[in-house]
Amino acid sequence: MKKVRIRKNSSLIVFLVDLSWSMAVTKRMAATKKAITTILTKAYQFRDDVCLITFQKEGADLVIPPTHSIALAERS
């Protein structure tokens, strides 16, 4: 008998949020924030990373760089 350990690869989950002019932007950002914190708390075991990128018209901003830290995500 031989003990075999299989290591799961970590994943990068990217959230892209459209901030174009709309009445639902605040609702979208609140839902995105909740989803990111939920995924980070569940993904801690697997060391999955999450990042948030917002875009509007021709530009994009990296709001939360790839991280598995819940504290860093909440600060951003």
Side-chain angles (χ1 to χ4, degrees), residues 14-69:
V14 179
F15 282 89
L16 293 172
V17 179
D18 183 9
L19 295 182
S20 297
W21 190 84
S22 173
M23 298 298 286
V25 170
T26 55
K27 289 181 183 179
R28 260 188 261 152
M29 287 304 291
T32 302
K33 182 179 178 181
K34 185 175 180 178
I36 287 174
T37 54
T38 303
I39 287 173
L40 282 174
T41 55
K42 290 183 179 182
Y44 180 76
Q45 306 168 17
F46 303 111
R47 299 290 187 219
D48 291 340
D49 289 338
V50 174
C51 77
L52 172 63
I53 300 172
T54 60
F55 63 95
Q56 183 177 10
K57 294 183 183 179
E58 298 295 321
D61 294 318
L62 179 65
V63 179
I64 300 174
T67 183
H68 59 266
S69 170

